Amino acid sequence: MTRLFVVWCPDWPVVAAGAAAGLPLDAPAAVVAANRVVAVNAAARAEGVGAGMRRRESQGRCPDLAVLPADPDRDARHFERVAAAVERLAPGVEVVRPGVVAVAAKGPAAYFATEAAVAEKLIDQVAAHADAECLVGAADGLFAATLAAQRGLVVPAGRSAEFLSPLGVRELLPEHAELVDLLRRLGLHTLGAFGALPEGAVASRFGVRAVLAHRLARGLEQRPPARRAVPDDLVATHRPDTPVERVDAVAFAARGLAERLHEALAGHGLACTRLAIAATTERGEVLRRVWRCADPLTPAGIADRVRWQLDGWLRGPDRPSAGITELRLEPEEVVDGPALQLGLWQGGQDERALRAGRAMVHVQGLLGPGAVLTPVPSGGRGPAERITLVPWGDERAPAAPPDRPWPGSLPAPSPSVIPPAPVAAEVLADDGRPVGVSGRFALTATPAAVAVAGGPARAVVGWAGPWAADETWWHPPAARRRARLQVLLAPDEHEPAAYLLVREDRKWSVEGMYD
Amino acid sequence: MRALPSRVGSLASLAAPEVVPVRGDLAALFPWGGLRRGSTVAVRGSVALLLALLVEVTEGGGWVALVGVPQVGLLAAAEMGVRVERVVVVPSPGAEFASTVAALLDGVDVVAVSGARVVDSLARKLSARARGRGAVLLSFGAWPGAEVELAREGDRWWGLGVGHGRLRGRVTGVVARGRGAAARPRRCDVVLQGESEPGRLTFDMIEHTFESNVGGVERGSTS
């Protein structure tokens, strides 16, 4: 999830129209379209003028109200100055709509030390270079960041869902007007209540658009702002004459369907990076799964995924009770078409890589996308933390940057076995008393024997440590104090000789085995 | 008819076995100097030995899959030289174990699986699949019908003292037994992880033993 700053200029249509008409900023003004007020500034609001009011009524409440015509082109044109002002401070600016501009938080936050400092700088910058007032907010994801901006808040990382939860469903306006109306009639008044519904239920009751709104309500990203919006008419549908139960019969149709979808996308200059495959059966069961892909999908790629998905459904343990009557391919996320031709940066995108990639995707069809993982070297102290496993096809992003100093991490060689579940260990001194680690990271006695997972104690022939790792002590909720110990035990035919032990919360456990 | 020459070509290449290369010091364990494509090799007693077999194949642009072996330390693999960007991990295939391994044998060069709880009939089926696809099936643990079985015999670590030093490297004895061309047992000692043990005491080894301000040894004076 991208962390974003959003710069929000309140009442932007009025500000732009006022600037075009040369009005002072504090004069009451309203923008009117089709005889209705669509936007007002603060001065006019103080006089009792509000959006949705008839023009004559608003003039009745505030006789010296400046009534200005609506003109989206003008709004966008004037907003360019704000975008440029923001861009002077932070690169990679994206205009969400006139009045709202988003910028990735990572770079500027590191440069100006804190996010609050960036927010202050951005406000000054926009005031100085664009003569406009603005509010700045930061959060994970565009939706949360926009709402944070309207409140002038910096929402801490990872807390977007918490921030959104008490807000009303009206925040989904104007894009999801129909859904908001429906949710309020159902008694779901907050985003938290809507987000608590299971996604499958939302998908089947309210449709695809509601799923996007549902993702937003849960603080997830609808789609990254760099990607392009999916035109509505790009869903490819196939309805066989008779319900189909055999995979090969649907797979044949899938090929043609994939070609059609790809052509339609290419016609818009787009390629698909996230594809939903949905099937409806004769009895009204709806099966749906979304396929994510780091590389844009080719027609063969789409057809393969459809075939594998159907294979998974029709031959799986919980197969539908009737034949498939409708098959739909919905592009959920698209990128500009030319991205298809690139691929140079991926390196080694040869025949073998393509063949391997197809096999991985096949297995994802059998087990689900999250079951096929690929390791990425990451930063950290323990051997398990230093590898991040990301689902195949996702961006290979490590959980923590590996190129920082990680004091307390052990040098190579690392243990070749990391127990998937914690394994308890006991470290004993000469006299049989347990060995601990003091508050100053010193062993309380010399280790003489080690018992692993309740097994017999084996004599220690060599040991070193403890390696102290006092992590995030400046932030108590995330703080961890651990001490690591390497031990070499008396030889045993069936057990590894060397262990990496770690002590946390007054307990030893096996972090790795040198097997 | 047009397809015939290529068929003949592929048949001719079958005569000389195609080999997935392995690290130089491990090549002596195999009669073909590497992992023969289509074969099944069992590795017993050491995960590091399994990882050592994967170094050369990923270096050469090949792909590796690890199925049902969630305990493998991938950091150790990366340190040993395995290019982890060409490694795929399926930690828990569950009931789909057979179809997962079969699908991966289609696409990658080496598939490493856990040999535990694999019944004879399934083992034979998967070995046949590997043979048909020209991939190598590596099993961690015994595998019925494996052509070569590697086992650890003895393991010596160096670098770790009593209260000082750290694990620096290990020398492991590896024995290969097998069928057919691999029937004669072969044994060699290899440095599986870390550095090889230096023949004599070096400064790095004794610096932990003495306080630099007590003994006459000072770091700067050795250069």
Side-chain angles (χ1 to χ4, degrees):
Chain A
M1 173 92 71
T2 338
R3 195 160 169 78
L4 294 170
F5 281 110
V6 165
V7 178
W8 178 64
C9 297
D11 313 321
W12 181 253
V14 187
V15 177
L23 292 176
L25 277 176
D26 53 353
V31 168
V32 175
N35 224 16
R36 294 258 174 202
V37 173
V38 292
V40 295
N41 65 3
R45 205 173 289 123
E47 301 280 344
V49 181
M53 227 172 240
R54 292 170 70 94
R55 173 191 173 139
R56 190 176 300 167
E57 190 187 352
S58 66
Q59 280 174 318
R61 292 199 178 189
C62 176
D64 40 353
L65 180 76
V67 175
L68 305 160
D71 179 359
D73 292 348
R74 173 199 61 205
D75 298 350
R77 202 165 56 237
H78 280 266
F79 194 64
E80 178 53 33
R81 286 182 68 195
V82 176
V86 174
E87 197 159 33
R88 285 180 174 213
L89 209 61
V93 165
E94 297 187 30
V95 179
V96 180
R97 58 171 184 270
V100 180
V101 58
V103 58
K106 200 172 170 187
Y111 188 78
F112 295 107
T114 66
E115 292 185 334
V118 183
E120 215 166 286
K121 287 263 179 209
L122 282 169
I123 292 173
D124 291 350
Q125 183 81 8
V126 172
H129 290 95
D131 281 336
E133 285 177 16
C134 69
L135 288 169
V136 175
D140 303 335
L142 183 60
F143 179 66
T146 308
L147 294 185
Q150 290 171 2
R151 289 156 182 80
L153 288 175
V154 172
V155 178
R159 304 272 292 275
S160 284
E162 215 174 299
F163 159 69
L164 291 173
S165 159
L167 303 180
V169 285
R170 287 179 59 86
E171 302 293 351
L172 292 166
L173 291 173
E175 287 87 357
H176 298 277
E178 206 173 309
L179 177 72
V180 169
D181 184 42
L182 186 59
L183 291 176
R184 291 175 66 197
R185 279 187 282 139
L186 288 172
L188 296 168
H189 292 287
T190 63
L191 291 175
F194 177 44
L197 300 178
E199 186 167 2
V202 174
S204 52
R205 306 281 164 81
F206 306 123
V208 186
R209 277 179 61 75
V211 174
L212 299 182
H214 186 243
R215 285 180 61 78
L216 295 180
R218 285 182 296 157
L220 301 175
E221 196 138 358
Q222 180 173 358
R223 63 177 75 90
R227 314 225 163 178
R228 287 180 49 177
V230 187
D232 288 338
D233 57 340
L234 280 180
V235 176
T237 312
H238 170 68
R239 288 192 189 81
D241 300 335
T242 53
V244 190
E245 289 185 32
R246 282 190 8 253
V247 176
D248 49 353
V250 194
F252 185 72
R255 190 143 291 254
L257 199 60
E259 291 281 353
R260 240 164 57 211
L261 177 68
H262 192 261
E263 255 170 50
L265 284 167
H268 283 80
L270 299 172
C272 182
T273 51
R274 219 167 65 192
L275 176 74
I277 300 167
T280 312
T281 68
E282 214 176 353
R283 301 234 175 104
E285 290 156 293
V286 177
L287 306 163
R288 188 168 189 280
R289 181 165 281 174
V290 178
W291 287 82
R292 291 156 58 107
C293 195
D295 309 326
L297 289 164
T298 56
I302 298 173
D304 281 351
R305 278 161 183 79
V306 174
R307 199 176 66 243
W308 294 325
Q309 187 58 63
L310 290 167
D311 213 40
W313 280 331
L314 295 176
R315 296 205 183 135
D318 19 62
R319 42 171 309 169
S321 59
I324 287 175
T325 53
E326 188 188 74
L327 182 64
R328 286 161 65 86
L329 302 183
E330 301 157 7
E332 284 226 324
E333 190 176 275
V334 290
V335 291
D336 287 336
L340 262 180
Q341 293 156 15
L342 299 177
L344 277 173
W345 73 90
Q346 286 156 336
Q349 187 60 279
D350 50 9
E351 176 69 23
R352 289 163 98 178
L354 288 175
R355 206 162 55 100
R358 279 201 294 272
M360 311 316 168
V361 177
H362 188 171
V363 176
Q364 285 182 319
L366 291 167
L367 302 173
V372 182
L373 306 167
T374 170
V376 183
S378 168
R381 293 174 180 85
E385 293 158 19
R386 290 174 61 190
I387 290 285
T388 306
L389 289 169
V390 295
W392 173 259
D394 276 15
E395 190 193 353
R396 295 174 54 86
D403 53 349
R404 305 280 161 83
W406 292 98
S409 67
L410 265 69
S414 296
S416 56
V417 173
I418 313 274
V423 175
E426 255 185 293
V427 182
L428 305 169
D430 264 344
D431 50 6
R433 280 183 309 141
V435 176
V437 176
S438 73
R440 290 174 184 263
F441 286 113
L443 291 178
T444 57
T446 305
V450 168
V452 172
R458 288 164 67 195
V460 170
V461 296
W463 61 275
W467 277 268
D470 197 357
E471 299 169 28
T472 333
W473 47 265
W474 56 90
H475 182 51
R480 295 186 80 172
R481 267 175 82 85
R482 283 182 285 187
R484 295 191 167 82
L485 185 68
Q486 273 184 344
V487 290
L488 190 62
L489 305 182
D492 179 318
E493 200 41 49
H494 303 291
E495 298 291 330
Y499 288 84
L500 176 63
L501 304 177
V502 63
R503 187 168 175 91
E504 189 176 15
D505 292 339
R506 298 173 171 276
K507 283 193 286 287
W508 288 105
S509 57
V510 176
E511 198 174 34
M513 291 177 255
Y514 298 85
D515 190 12
Chain B
M1 285 304 277
R2 208 177 294 161
L4 199 59
S6 66
R7 282 293 298 276
V8 171
S10 71
L11 284 173
S13 70
L14 279 177
E18 237 186 288
V19 165
V20 174
V22 297
R23 244 169 60 172
D25 50 353
L26 293 167
L29 292 166
F30 300 95
W32 314 279
L35 301 163
R36 190 170 63 81
R37 284 191 176 273
S39 68
T40 304
V41 175
V43 176
R44 279 175 45 200
S46 173
V47 172
L49 179 57
L50 181 84
L51 295 176
L53 292 173
L54 307 180
V55 174
E56 283 293 317
V57 52
T58 54
E59 278 280 320
W63 287 74
V64 169
L66 302 170
V67 184
V69 277
Q71 75 273 29
V72 167
L74 293 158
L75 180 63
E79 286 167 357
M80 291 165 75
V82 176
R83 302 285 295 269
V84 288
E85 64 269 27
R86 282 194 283 275
V87 173
V88 190
V89 188
V90 184
S92 41
E96 299 284 348
F97 175 78
S99 37
T100 300
V101 175
L104 288 169
L105 284 170
D106 283 355
V108 303
D109 302 81
V110 178
V111 181
V113 305
S114 158
R117 297 192 303 276
V118 175
V119 295
D120 273 23
S121 58
L122 176 60
R124 266 198 301 277
K125 226 188 257 175
L126 291 177
S127 288
R129 178 84 169 205
R131 197 153 45 243
R133 301 290 171 172
V136 178
L137 185 62
L138 270 184
S139 142
F140 183 65
W143 188 268
E147 283 178 38
V148 182
E149 186 176 281
L150 306 183
R152 183 185 71 178
E153 262 195 14
D155 198 14
R156 203 177 72 256
W157 281 93
W158 70 274
L160 189 67
V162 178
H164 58 83
R166 60 179 171 91
L167 294 173
R168 300 287 288 271
R170 76 196 283 197
V171 180
T172 307
V174 183
V175 179
R177 295 186 187 83
R179 299 183 288 115
R184 189 170 62 87
R186 294 158 187 249
R187 186 180 195 287
C188 68
D189 285 333
V190 293
V191 179
L192 267 190
Q193 279 182 285
E195 318 145 43
S196 60
E197 190 171 4
R200 54 187 182 81
L201 283 182
T202 62
F203 181 83
D204 275 355
M205 289 170 72
I206 56 174
E207 73 172 337
H208 294 287
T209 324
F210 304 105
E211 293 293 331
S212 60
N213 55 353
V214 179
V217 190
E218 273 186 32
R219 178 136 226 178
S221 63
T222 53
S223 61

